[in-house]
Amino acid sequence: MSSEKKKQTVQTTGHAWDGDIQEFNNPLPNWWLWGFYATVVFAVIYWILFPTFPIGNTYTKGIMNDITYTTADGKEKTSHWTTRALLMKEMQEAREKQKPFIDKINKSSYKQIATSKEQSAFAYSAAKVLFADNCAGCHQTGGAGVMGMYPNLADDAWLWGGSYEQIEASISKGRKGSMPGFKTRLSNAELNQVSEYVLKLSGHKVNAAQAIKGKAIFEGTGGCAACHTSAGTGQFAMGSANLTDKIWTVANVPAAAAISDKRAAIRKVIASGINRDMPAWNGRLTDADIKMLSFYVHQLSGGK
Amino acid sequence: MAEELFQKRIPVIPRSVSGRFRTLKTSILILAYGVYYLLPWLRWERQSGPEQAVLFDIVARKFYLFDLVVYAQDIFWLAGLLVIAAFVLFFVTSIAGRVFCGYFCFQTLWTDVFVFIERLVQGERNARIKLINAPPSFEKTFKLALTRLLWFVVALITGLSFTLYWGDAPELLMQMLQGDAPFPAYATTLFLTVTTFVMAGMAREQVCTYMCPYSRFQGVMYDQDTLIVAYDEERGEGKNGRWKPIKGLLKREDRQAKGYGDCIDCGYCVQACPVGIDIRNGMQYQCISCALCIDACNTIMDSIKYPRGLIRYSSDQQLHGRHWSWVKWKNLGYSLAILLVTGLLIWSITTRVLSEFRVQQIRQPLYVTLSDGTIQNRYELKLTNKHDTTQRYGIGLRGLPDAVLDVGHFEEIELKAGESVQLQVRVKLMPDTRPEKIRHFNFVLLNQREDPKLAIRQKAQFYLP
């Protein structure tokens, strides 16, 4: 290495103000400068290839019109580069991968799905997502339901039947659960008596005299038995609840501690009635989706 | 011109030697290369699975090592293996210095082969130096190009062999030749080809000197008893230092009488050194303990009929005539750790359970009341059959009397070798008078071929309202 001392003076631009104020010339390092030029070149290439500038209410599309995908309803589309088109393409690829499994589900009976390791695993995991997207909004995650509003799907009490086929019918066609209010038809005393009888049906200890009167109203003048049957077990055809089991979907009997509060809860339902509406899903979900969902809902409780 | 911050590399052009250590190194090299290049081609018979003895199947998450199949969940064995490797390294380094670097490290092995190729094409050290300094000519270009071509072939085979461990070797090779192999196969091969070429062909000793972390921290394991490749300064230098064997200084007795040491300053040890140091300057951090200078010096000592061992494996203690022993707490501790971890690893591998069973409670909802008042909890079970044959399983409950297990249609689960299944099961229990809201019990996995006592238990909890 040369031992000569380096020149320490810095070059100036040659400009001078007020006689003696000079400007140092410290140019950018070359690597930095060339890096900057490279980004400029990159940007220009990017403008040509990709969507870039807004023009009025449209924008430059770029020349990469090369993303072709098929939508869920079978239409083929070609798009310039967008992340949405990329997603659609990915979704199309995912659908193609799922297709053999879906085809198998479509061809199989519920029994075949339930006895096959592969099919039940596929149906369960697919329906878990479908359930979360479409059903959990009302029925809650895991089908726990909301007391008084949306039935619990994880227990074994079924308003409209718990077989695979009945569950499928409930999902695809929807259900309208309707019980009229009785406060105009029954007097206060009668309402109390019927409530007492309904409590007795599910095995609670009640005032026997009141319950006998209630039974008469239940089976006779009140007309309750028309839907709930004279035994109180309900009918799947009408979606009328089984009043003899331990499960309550509208009147929150288990939450009330005192027997009088339990009766009051029942009385309230009898007085005002209940209207529940489950929408039909056959237009919104595919047959395979509904089939897998039916399997999933059946699996939650074990069905009936 | 700015001043240079670093000294430019002085190319190391090692001269070949022969001797005891060279033979040992060559044998290790042939063995290591043989294993590395041929292992992917070794076929192995299995009841199920690929026919390759050693195969790392990333897609199926299974590592096949002869009769052992390592699943992803067994990966902690790798930790055991690494711990053993680390302690063996510590142990050996503490006793005999950088044995790994000198004899086993792939950087040393591959550099060795690349230097061999260099010598094959360009000749011995002197010829190589002459060639490098020669003016451009056809011969120079041809020889340098041929050397690099051969390097590239070795590098390519090295990269390819590594890739073949990750797939069925014959099939993957055919795919790669036809251009049908997956991208990672090409990328891996290219990466290893390039790194092999650069590291063994061009970077060489700089890898050990500047890049390798082992070479630096191995120093802290040294002590005065550690064997190092050492120059016997007392014998070599005498009172008046080393001197050429000129007239009057040929015989050992004459030299000793005049106060000169045994070193005749021939420079062979320096020329033979693959990292370009002079061992006579004492212990240096660049030294990889390859012992080639020992062979070089012994060759000269034999030829002039001086006793061998002017450069030899020795320790600081021995060189200064003090008592030397490798038995000390540090080394005993290392060997104890090696035995312990090896024992644990062997125990873990030999007692591994070939049926895997996991239980997870479905917590949404945690429990549900059924129409007859019983409480139902749901669980997700995961079964994996790690046997190499089809197995039949059943699931049962222990420790939750009166509970009913509902497994749907899977009373009997048949799983092929390596197959997994996920099941949702329901457990029903009539609430009793006991106050505990949480009941602890076990799921058991019954393998119908095995003794029920060997059933695998998994803890679970049952929640009551």
Short mmCIF file of all heavy atoms in Angstrom, two decimals, chain A residues 188-240:
data_model
loop_
_atom_site.label_atom_id
_atom_site.label_comp_id
_atom_site.label_asym_id
_atom_site.label_seq_id
_atom_site.Cartn_x
_atom_site.Cartn_y
_atom_site.Cartn_z
N ASN A 188 -106.47 -16.52 33.12
CA ASN A 188 -105.25 -16.60 33.92
C ASN A 188 -105.15 -17.91 34.69
O ASN A 188 -104.11 -18.56 34.72
CB ASN A 188 -105.20 -15.45 34.92
CG ASN A 188 -104.36 -14.31 34.35
OD1 ASN A 188 -103.55 -14.54 33.43
ND2 ASN A 188 -104.55 -13.12 34.87
N ALA A 189 -106.25 -18.29 35.31
CA ALA A 189 -106.26 -19.51 36.12
C ALA A 189 -106.01 -20.72 35.25
O ALA A 189 -105.24 -21.62 35.59
CB ALA A 189 -107.61 -19.63 36.84
N GLU A 190 -106.63 -20.70 34.08
CA GLU A 190 -106.46 -21.84 33.17
C GLU A 190 -105.01 -21.94 32.68
O GLU A 190 -104.45 -23.03 32.57
CB GLU A 190 -107.41 -21.69 31.97
CG GLU A 190 -108.84 -22.01 32.34
CD GLU A 190 -109.81 -21.65 31.21
OE1 GLU A 190 -109.57 -20.63 30.52
OE2 GLU A 190 -110.78 -22.37 31.03
N LEU A 191 -104.43 -20.80 32.38
CA LEU A 191 -103.02 -20.79 31.96
C LEU A 191 -102.15 -21.42 33.03
O LEU A 191 -101.25 -22.23 32.73
CB LEU A 191 -102.55 -19.35 31.68
CG LEU A 191 -102.99 -18.72 30.35
CD1 LEU A 191 -102.59 -17.26 30.31
CD2 LEU A 191 -102.40 -19.48 29.16
N ASN A 192 -102.41 -21.04 34.29
CA ASN A 192 -101.63 -21.61 35.40
C ASN A 192 -101.81 -23.11 35.47
O ASN A 192 -100.86 -23.85 35.72
CB ASN A 192 -102.06 -20.98 36.72
CG ASN A 192 -101.42 -19.60 36.88
OD1 ASN A 192 -100.41 -19.32 36.24
ND2 ASN A 192 -102.04 -18.77 37.70
N GLN A 193 -103.06 -23.55 35.29
CA GLN A 193 -103.35 -24.98 35.40
C GLN A 193 -102.63 -25.77 34.29
O GLN A 193 -102.02 -26.81 34.54
CB GLN A 193 -104.85 -25.23 35.33
CG GLN A 193 -105.56 -24.81 36.61
CD GLN A 193 -107.03 -24.49 36.39
OE1 GLN A 193 -107.57 -24.61 35.28
NE2 GLN A 193 -107.70 -24.04 37.46
N VAL A 194 -102.67 -25.25 33.07
CA VAL A 194 -102.00 -25.95 31.96
C VAL A 194 -100.49 -25.98 32.21
O VAL A 194 -99.83 -27.01 32.02
CB VAL A 194 -102.32 -25.27 30.62
CG1 VAL A 194 -101.54 -25.95 29.49
CG2 VAL A 194 -103.80 -25.36 30.31
N SER A 195 -99.96 -24.86 32.67
CA SER A 195 -98.52 -24.80 32.96
C SER A 195 -98.15 -25.86 33.99
O SER A 195 -97.11 -26.53 33.87
CB SER A 195 -98.12 -23.43 33.49
OG SER A 195 -98.55 -22.44 32.60
N GLU A 196 -99.00 -25.99 35.03
CA GLU A 196 -98.76 -26.97 36.08
C GLU A 196 -98.70 -28.39 35.47
O GLU A 196 -97.83 -29.18 35.78
CB GLU A 196 -99.89 -26.88 37.11
CG GLU A 196 -99.56 -27.48 38.45
CD GLU A 196 -98.66 -26.61 39.30
OE1 GLU A 196 -98.62 -25.38 39.08
OE2 GLU A 196 -97.95 -27.16 40.17
N TYR A 197 -99.63 -28.64 34.54
CA TYR A 197 -99.70 -29.96 33.91
C TYR A 197 -98.46 -30.23 33.04
O TYR A 197 -97.90 -31.32 33.05
CB TYR A 197 -100.98 -30.10 33.08
CG TYR A 197 -101.08 -31.42 32.37
CD1 TYR A 197 -101.19 -32.61 33.11
CD2 TYR A 197 -101.05 -31.49 30.98
CE1 TYR A 197 -101.25 -33.82 32.48
CE2 TYR A 197 -101.12 -32.71 30.33
CZ TYR A 197 -101.22 -33.88 31.09
OH TYR A 197 -101.27 -35.09 30.45
N VAL A 198 -98.02 -29.19 32.32
CA VAL A 198 -96.84 -29.37 31.45
C VAL A 198 -95.60 -29.68 32.31
O VAL A 198 -94.78 -30.52 31.95
CB VAL A 198 -96.62 -28.11 30.59
CG1 VAL A 198 -95.27 -28.17 29.86
CG2 VAL A 198 -97.74 -27.97 29.57
N LEU A 199 -95.52 -29.01 33.47
CA LEU A 199 -94.43 -29.31 34.40
C LEU A 199 -94.48 -30.77 34.84
O LEU A 199 -93.45 -31.45 34.94
CB LEU A 199 -94.53 -28.42 35.64
CG LEU A 199 -93.68 -27.14 35.66
CD1 LEU A 199 -93.87 -26.43 36.99
CD2 LEU A 199 -92.21 -27.45 35.42
N LYS A 200 -95.72 -31.23 35.12
CA LYS A 200 -95.90 -32.62 35.58
C LYS A 200 -95.46 -33.60 34.50
O LYS A 200 -94.82 -34.62 34.79
CB LYS A 200 -97.38 -32.85 35.92
CG LYS A 200 -97.68 -34.26 36.44
CD LYS A 200 -99.15 -34.39 36.84
CE LYS A 200 -99.43 -35.76 37.45
NZ LYS A 200 -99.60 -36.80 36.43
N LEU A 201 -95.74 -33.25 33.22
CA LEU A 201 -95.40 -34.14 32.11
C LEU A 201 -93.91 -34.47 32.09
O LEU A 201 -93.49 -35.57 31.78
CB LEU A 201 -95.77 -33.49 30.78
CG LEU A 201 -97.24 -33.56 30.35
CD1 LEU A 201 -97.45 -32.76 29.08
CD2 LEU A 201 -97.68 -35.01 30.16
N SER A 202 -93.09 -33.47 32.45
CA SER A 202 -91.65 -33.70 32.38
C SER A 202 -91.09 -34.20 33.71
O SER A 202 -89.88 -34.14 33.94
CB SER A 202 -90.94 -32.42 31.96
OG SER A 202 -91.22 -31.39 32.89
N GLY A 203 -92.00 -34.66 34.59
CA GLY A 203 -91.55 -35.34 35.78
C GLY A 203 -91.29 -34.46 36.98
O GLY A 203 -90.62 -34.87 37.92
N HIS A 204 -91.77 -33.23 36.98
CA HIS A 204 -91.61 -32.37 38.16
C HIS A 204 -92.71 -32.69 39.18
O HIS A 204 -93.78 -33.16 38.82
CB HIS A 204 -91.69 -30.90 37.77
CG HIS A 204 -90.49 -30.42 37.00
ND1 HIS A 204 -90.38 -30.58 35.64
CD2 HIS A 204 -89.36 -29.81 37.40
CE1 HIS A 204 -89.22 -30.09 35.24
NE2 HIS A 204 -88.58 -29.61 36.29
N LYS A 205 -92.42 -32.41 40.45
CA LYS A 205 -93.43 -32.58 41.49
C LYS A 205 -94.32 -31.34 41.48
O LYS A 205 -93.82 -30.21 41.62
CB LYS A 205 -92.78 -32.72 42.86
CG LYS A 205 -92.30 -34.13 43.08
CD LYS A 205 -91.78 -34.31 44.49
CE LYS A 205 -91.14 -35.68 44.62
NZ LYS A 205 -90.08 -35.68 45.61
N VAL A 206 -95.61 -31.54 41.30
CA VAL A 206 -96.52 -30.38 41.16
C VAL A 206 -97.76 -30.54 42.03
O VAL A 206 -97.98 -31.61 42.63
CB VAL A 206 -96.96 -30.21 39.69
CG1 VAL A 206 -95.77 -29.84 38.82
CG2 VAL A 206 -97.63 -31.47 39.18
N ASN A 207 -98.53 -29.51 42.07
CA ASN A 207 -99.84 -29.52 42.74
C ASN A 207 -100.78 -30.41 41.94
O ASN A 207 -101.15 -30.09 40.81
CB ASN A 207 -100.35 -28.07 42.80
CG ASN A 207 -101.69 -27.97 43.53
OD1 ASN A 207 -102.54 -28.88 43.43
ND2 ASN A 207 -101.86 -26.88 44.24
N ALA A 208 -101.17 -31.55 42.53
CA ALA A 208 -101.90 -32.57 41.78
C ALA A 208 -103.26 -32.08 41.31
O ALA A 208 -103.67 -32.33 40.17
CB ALA A 208 -102.04 -33.82 42.63
N ALA A 209 -103.95 -31.34 42.15
CA ALA A 209 -105.30 -30.87 41.82
C ALA A 209 -105.27 -29.93 40.64
O ALA A 209 -106.05 -30.06 39.68
CB ALA A 209 -105.92 -30.18 43.04
N GLN A 210 -104.31 -28.99 40.68
CA GLN A 210 -104.14 -28.03 39.59
C GLN A 210 -103.82 -28.77 38.30
O GLN A 210 -104.36 -28.46 37.24
CB GLN A 210 -102.98 -27.07 39.90
CG GLN A 210 -103.29 -26.02 40.94
CD GLN A 210 -104.07 -24.85 40.32
OE1 GLN A 210 -105.29 -24.96 40.09
NE2 GLN A 210 -103.36 -23.77 40.05
N ALA A 211 -102.91 -29.77 38.42
CA ALA A 211 -102.48 -30.49 37.23
C ALA A 211 -103.62 -31.26 36.58
O ALA A 211 -103.70 -31.34 35.36
CB ALA A 211 -101.33 -31.43 37.60
N ILE A 212 -104.53 -31.79 37.39
CA ILE A 212 -105.67 -32.53 36.81
C ILE A 212 -106.54 -31.60 35.99
O ILE A 212 -106.95 -31.92 34.88
CB ILE A 212 -106.49 -33.22 37.94
CG1 ILE A 212 -105.67 -34.41 38.46
CG2 ILE A 212 -107.85 -33.70 37.44
CD1 ILE A 212 -106.19 -35.03 39.74
N LYS A 213 -106.75 -30.39 36.54
CA LYS A 213 -107.52 -29.41 35.77
C LYS A 213 -106.78 -29.04 34.50
O LYS A 213 -107.37 -28.88 33.43
CB LYS A 213 -107.75 -28.15 36.63
CG LYS A 213 -108.78 -28.34 37.72
CD LYS A 213 -108.96 -27.06 38.50
CE LYS A 213 -109.82 -27.32 39.74
NZ LYS A 213 -109.62 -26.28 40.76
N GLY A 214 -105.50 -28.88 34.65
CA GLY A 214 -104.67 -28.54 33.49
C GLY A 214 -104.74 -29.60 32.43
O GLY A 214 -104.77 -29.30 31.23
N LYS A 215 -104.76 -30.86 32.87
CA LYS A 215 -104.80 -31.97 31.91
C LYS A 215 -106.06 -31.89 31.05
O LYS A 215 -106.02 -32.10 29.83
CB LYS A 215 -104.76 -33.29 32.67
CG LYS A 215 -104.65 -34.48 31.74
CD LYS A 215 -104.57 -35.81 32.48
CE LYS A 215 -104.30 -36.88 31.46
NZ LYS A 215 -104.78 -38.17 31.71
N ALA A 216 -107.17 -31.53 31.73
CA ALA A 216 -108.43 -31.42 31.02
C ALA A 216 -108.35 -30.35 29.95
O ALA A 216 -108.81 -30.53 28.80
CB ALA A 216 -109.55 -31.10 32.02
N ILE A 217 -107.73 -29.23 30.29
CA ILE A 217 -107.61 -28.16 29.31
C ILE A 217 -106.68 -28.59 28.17
O ILE A 217 -106.95 -28.37 26.99
CB ILE A 217 -107.05 -26.87 29.98
CG1 ILE A 217 -108.00 -26.41 31.09
CG2 ILE A 217 -106.85 -25.76 28.95
CD1 ILE A 217 -107.38 -25.44 32.07
N PHE A 218 -105.54 -29.24 28.55
CA PHE A 218 -104.54 -29.69 27.58
C PHE A 218 -105.16 -30.60 26.53
O PHE A 218 -104.92 -30.44 25.34
CB PHE A 218 -103.43 -30.43 28.34
CG PHE A 218 -102.22 -30.74 27.50
CD1 PHE A 218 -101.16 -29.85 27.43
CD2 PHE A 218 -102.15 -31.92 26.76
CE1 PHE A 218 -100.04 -30.13 26.66
CE2 PHE A 218 -101.04 -32.21 25.99
CZ PHE A 218 -99.98 -31.31 25.94
N GLU A 219 -105.98 -31.54 27.05
CA GLU A 219 -106.53 -32.52 26.12
C GLU A 219 -107.86 -32.07 25.52
O GLU A 219 -108.30 -32.60 24.51
CB GLU A 219 -106.71 -33.87 26.83
CG GLU A 219 -105.37 -34.52 27.10
CD GLU A 219 -105.49 -35.75 28.00
OE1 GLU A 219 -106.61 -36.09 28.41
OE2 GLU A 219 -104.42 -36.35 28.29
N GLY A 220 -108.48 -31.09 26.16
CA GLY A 220 -109.80 -30.70 25.70
C GLY A 220 -109.86 -29.29 25.15
O GLY A 220 -109.38 -29.03 24.05
N THR A 221 -110.36 -28.39 26.02
CA THR A 221 -110.70 -27.04 25.56
C THR A 221 -109.51 -26.27 25.01
O THR A 221 -109.66 -25.49 24.07
CB THR A 221 -111.32 -26.24 26.72
OG1 THR A 221 -110.41 -26.34 27.84
CG2 THR A 221 -112.68 -26.76 27.10
N GLY A 222 -108.36 -26.45 25.60
CA GLY A 222 -107.18 -25.69 25.14
C GLY A 222 -106.73 -26.11 23.76
O GLY A 222 -106.19 -25.32 22.99
N GLY A 223 -106.91 -27.39 23.48
CA GLY A 223 -106.51 -27.89 22.17
C GLY A 223 -105.02 -28.15 22.05
O GLY A 223 -104.51 -28.31 20.93
N CYS A 224 -104.32 -28.21 23.15
CA CYS A 224 -102.86 -28.41 23.11
C CYS A 224 -102.51 -29.75 22.47
O CYS A 224 -101.54 -29.89 21.71
CB CYS A 224 -102.25 -28.36 24.50
SG CYS A 224 -102.75 -26.91 25.44
N ALA A 225 -103.33 -30.79 22.82
CA ALA A 225 -103.04 -32.15 22.39
C ALA A 225 -103.10 -32.30 20.88
O ALA A 225 -102.50 -33.22 20.32
CB ALA A 225 -104.01 -33.12 23.06
N ALA A 226 -103.79 -31.37 20.23
CA ALA A 226 -103.89 -31.46 18.77
C ALA A 226 -102.51 -31.46 18.14
O ALA A 226 -102.26 -32.13 17.15
CB ALA A 226 -104.72 -30.29 18.24
N CYS A 227 -101.63 -30.66 18.68
CA CYS A 227 -100.26 -30.63 18.15
C CYS A 227 -99.32 -31.49 18.99
O CYS A 227 -98.55 -32.30 18.48
CB CYS A 227 -99.72 -29.21 18.12
SG CYS A 227 -100.58 -28.15 16.95
N HIS A 228 -99.37 -31.30 20.31
CA HIS A 228 -98.39 -31.95 21.19
C HIS A 228 -98.76 -33.41 21.50
O HIS A 228 -98.01 -34.07 22.20
CB HIS A 228 -98.25 -31.17 22.50
CG HIS A 228 -97.53 -29.85 22.33
ND1 HIS A 228 -96.18 -29.75 22.13
CD2 HIS A 228 -97.99 -28.58 22.34
CE1 HIS A 228 -95.82 -28.48 22.02
NE2 HIS A 228 -96.91 -27.73 22.14
N THR A 229 -99.88 -33.88 21.00
CA THR A 229 -100.49 -35.20 21.26
C THR A 229 -100.95 -35.29 22.72
O THR A 229 -100.45 -34.56 23.58
CB THR A 229 -99.56 -36.42 20.97
OG1 THR A 229 -98.58 -36.52 22.01
CG2 THR A 229 -98.91 -36.30 19.61
N SER A 230 -101.89 -36.17 22.96
CA SER A 230 -102.45 -36.24 24.31
C SER A 230 -101.41 -36.72 25.32
O SER A 230 -101.47 -36.42 26.50
CB SER A 230 -103.69 -37.14 24.34
OG SER A 230 -103.36 -38.38 23.75
N ALA A 231 -100.40 -37.49 24.85
CA ALA A 231 -99.33 -37.91 25.77
C ALA A 231 -98.32 -36.80 25.99
O ALA A 231 -97.46 -36.88 26.85
CB ALA A 231 -98.63 -39.14 25.22
N GLY A 232 -98.38 -35.77 25.16
CA GLY A 232 -97.44 -34.64 25.29
C GLY A 232 -96.11 -34.87 24.64
O GLY A 232 -95.15 -34.14 24.87
N THR A 233 -96.01 -35.91 23.78
CA THR A 233 -94.70 -36.24 23.21
C THR A 233 -94.39 -35.48 21.93
O THR A 233 -93.30 -35.62 21.37
CB THR A 233 -94.63 -37.75 22.91
OG1 THR A 233 -95.79 -38.12 22.18
CG2 THR A 233 -94.55 -38.55 24.19
N GLY A 234 -95.36 -34.72 21.44
CA GLY A 234 -95.08 -33.92 20.25
C GLY A 234 -95.09 -34.74 18.98
O GLY A 234 -95.18 -35.97 19.01
N GLN A 235 -95.04 -34.04 17.81
CA GLN A 235 -95.03 -34.74 16.53
C GLN A 235 -93.98 -34.10 15.63
O GLN A 235 -93.92 -32.88 15.51
CB GLN A 235 -96.39 -34.58 15.84
CG GLN A 235 -97.55 -35.18 16.57
CD GLN A 235 -98.84 -34.91 15.80
OE1 GLN A 235 -98.98 -35.34 14.65
NE2 GLN A 235 -99.75 -34.18 16.43
N PHE A 236 -93.21 -34.97 14.98
CA PHE A 236 -92.21 -34.45 14.05
C PHE A 236 -92.86 -33.72 12.88
O PHE A 236 -92.31 -32.76 12.36
CB PHE A 236 -91.34 -35.60 13.51
CG PHE A 236 -90.42 -36.20 14.54
CD1 PHE A 236 -89.97 -37.50 14.43
CD2 PHE A 236 -90.00 -35.43 15.63
CE1 PHE A 236 -89.11 -38.04 15.36
CE2 PHE A 236 -89.13 -35.98 16.59
CZ PHE A 236 -88.71 -37.28 16.45
N ALA A 237 -94.05 -34.21 12.46
CA ALA A 237 -94.68 -33.64 11.28
C ALA A 237 -95.01 -32.16 11.48
O ALA A 237 -95.05 -31.38 10.53
CB ALA A 237 -95.95 -34.41 10.94
N MET A 238 -95.30 -31.76 12.71
CA MET A 238 -95.67 -30.38 12.97
C MET A 238 -94.58 -29.61 13.65
O MET A 238 -94.68 -28.40 13.85
CB MET A 238 -96.91 -30.34 13.86
CG MET A 238 -97.95 -31.33 13.43
SD MET A 238 -99.50 -31.02 14.24
CE MET A 238 -99.89 -29.42 13.60
N GLY A 239 -93.55 -30.30 14.06
CA GLY A 239 -92.47 -29.63 14.78
C GLY A 239 -92.87 -29.27 16.19
O GLY A 239 -92.30 -28.36 16.80
N SER A 240 -93.90 -29.97 16.72
CA SER A 240 -94.33 -29.66 18.08
C SER A 240 -93.42 -30.37 19.08
O SER A 240 -93.05 -31.52 18.89
CB SER A 240 -95.78 -30.12 18.27
OG SER A 240 -95.93 -31.44 17.80
#
